[in-house]
Amino acid sequence: MISTRIKDVNMVFETAPSIFSPNSIDNGTLAMLSVIDFLPCDKVLDLGCGYGIVGILAGKLIGEENVIMCDVSEQAIECATMNLRINNVPNIRIRLSDGYRNVEERDFTLILTNPPYHADFSVPKHFIEVGFKKLVMGGKLIMVTKRLDWYKNKLTSIFGGVKVHEINGYYVFVAEKRVRSIKEKEKTTDNLSKKLQRKQQRNKVNRKK
């Protein structure tokens, strides 16, 4: 069992050996939480919740009804559900979900995640691309990793920009969904469409020759 105090909130967590960071609160998670100010108006998704640190903290600060937690691991969900009761936030919604696949909501103001490290980046790619669609305008995707370049480039390509905080050997990325980022994506799509039209026109001309 882990006892901790984060943002002046005391919490206790039951863990299991197969769940990420079972013996202590992960330093990456602590780095991510250090840049977040939870607001009463927030709706939070704890994506890949593990045994529940982020979601439970959010629920205690802004209310259980404003938090959803999910994880792909059945054991993580069982452990997190136990920790909801232990920490007196039993009404936080929690779901077994591979990424966003069982998360139908599209009105989050904060999506918080410490993604697993995969060589092919398939998981964080899903987290970032679908996360953009799950946020309200002005909402933020906040993630922490030990790698910089791929995440910075990917988040910039989807959100139009990203802030990076380097904390104790970790990179905390804060990407905000903005009107400008959507317009930039639409503009890029329009430009690609025009290029394709010109290419098709040239091909027609060449075929006639």
Side-chain angles (χ1 to χ4, degrees):
M1 180 174 283
I2 299 172
S3 297
T4 188
R5 182 177 176 84
I6 304 173
K7 294 186 182 293
D8 295 324
V9 176
N10 293 316
M11 295 175 289
V12 178
F13 298 99
E14 289 283 357
T15 70
S18 64
I19 303 174
F20 176 66
S21 193
N23 299 317
S24 62
I25 306 300
D26 170 61
N27 287 329
T29 298
L30 292 174
M32 179 176 67
L33 289 170
S34 73
V35 307
I36 299 169
D37 291 318
F38 292 102
L39 302 174
C41 59
D42 279 329
K43 181 173 180 178
V44 175
L45 175 63
D46 180 2
L47 179 61
C49 64
Y51 49 82
I53 300 158
V54 173
I56 288 171
L57 175 63
K60 293 182 81 68
L61 289 172
I62 64 173
E64 300 165 80
E65 69 280 4
N66 297 316
V67 180
I68 294 176
M69 299 164 57
C70 69
D71 202 288
V72 70
S73 163
E74 290 185 8
Q75 188 166 21
I77 292 297
E78 290 174 5
C79 203
T81 301
M82 183 191 310
N83 287 326
L84 295 183
R85 295 193 294 270
I86 292 172
N87 290 281
N88 299 312
V89 283
N91 296 317
I92 290 177
R93 289 164 286 174
I94 187 165
R95 299 171 188 168
L96 181 67
S97 180
D98 184 2
Y100 300 98
R101 287 176 177 86
N102 289 330
V103 180
E104 64 276 6
E105 291 85 355
R106 301 171 68 95
D107 60 345
F108 295 104
T109 62
L110 289 175
I111 297 175
L112 311 175
T113 186
N114 184 350
Y117 302 138
H118 289 278
D120 63 357
F121 297 104
S122 60
V123 173
K125 182 175 182 289
H126 168 70
F127 283 11
I128 293 168
E129 292 178 350
V130 181
F132 182 87
K133 301 173 186 176
K134 295 289 186 180
L135 290 166
V136 298
M137 196 62 63
K140 296 175 181 177
L141 172 63
I142 303 177
M143 62 169 44
V144 59
T145 78
K146 278 201 166 185
R147 301 181 181 182
L148 175 62
D149 293 341
W150 185 91
Y151 289 89
K152 183 177 180 181
N153 292 336
K154 184 64 177 178
L155 285 161
T156 299
S157 72
I158 298 299
F159 283 82
V162 62
K163 292 181 180 178
V164 184
H165 305 269
E166 188 173 357
I167 303 171
N168 296 329
Y170 290 87
Y171 298 102
V172 180
F173 302 89
V174 181
E176 181 178 345
K177 184 172 181 177
R178 300 169 297 169
V179 174
R180 182 182 174 190
S181 64
I182 294 175
K183 288 181 177 178
E184 285 172 347
K185 288 179 72 178
E186 290 175 346
K187 184 178 178 181
T188 300
T189 302
D190 289 343
N191 288 338
L192 286 172
S193 297
K194 289 175 182 178
K195 286 181 181 178
L196 286 172
Q197 289 172 12
R198 288 196 295 269
K199 184 177 180 180
Q200 289 171 352
Q201 188 63 35
R202 285 196 300 269
N203 288 340
K204 286 180 181 179
V205 171
N206 290 334
R207 282 198 295 269
K208 287 180 180 178
K209 291 180 179 178

